[in-house]
Amino acid sequence: PRPIRPKPPRYKSKAFAPRSAASDSKKPTSYLDLLDFDTFEWNGYNINYAVNKTRKPGSLSVLLVHGFGASIGHFKKNIVELISSGYDVHAIDLLGFGASEKPYEYQ
């Protein structure tokens, strides 16, 4: 009898399907190359945020908000994968973290 080969998994969306090694070689080496950084003022403090440079109309947006003691940089692998999968990425450094302003009282 022939050996039974397992069926490959079926993905409902191509975003969750693994990509070939050929497509991985096209990715930029740094997440910093993919993002535009800027700040906005909130309650008198400058807050750092980033959006991907290659936004496409109609694509799904993903908001990345870090936890305690982190920053946008903690999402570097996620940012590269999400953008290469066609998502719009928005990330924020919360007050007192990353490149956002630290409250004077915090020092």
Side-chain angles (χ1 to χ4, degrees):
R2 291 188 343 206
I4 298 173
R5 290 178 33 192
K7 292 182 180 179
R10 300 184 117 204
Y11 297 95
K12 292 182 180 179
S13 169
K14 288 184 179 183
F16 297 106
R19 291 187 317 280
S20 67
S23 65
D24 285 346
S25 64
K26 297 177 187 174
K27 283 191 287 189
T29 56
S30 173
Y31 73 102
L32 298 171
D33 298 333
L34 300 171
L35 299 175
D36 282 328
F37 290 88
D38 204 354
T39 60
F40 66 92
E41 188 174 328
W42 178 78
N43 284 351
Y45 296 103
N46 290 319
I47 304 297
N48 183 55
Y49 71 94
V51 294
N52 61 305
K53 294 178 181 179
T54 57
R55 289 176 282 173
K56 298 174 185 116
S59 61
L60 293 175
S61 294
V62 177
L63 174 62
L64 301 173
V65 181
H66 62 79
F68 184 75
S71 67
I72 290 173
H74 284 80
F75 294 115
K76 58 187 168 189
K77 291 182 181 177
N78 305 86
I79 289 168
V80 172
E81 285 297 317
L82 287 166
I83 292 174
S84 66
S85 296
Y87 291 94
D88 282 343
V89 174
H90 304 260
I92 186 170
D93 277 333
L94 297 175
L95 178 64
F97 297 96
S100 290
E101 196 169 357
K102 287 33 169 197
Y104 182 72
E105 302 84 38
Y106 178 75
Q107 298 174 357

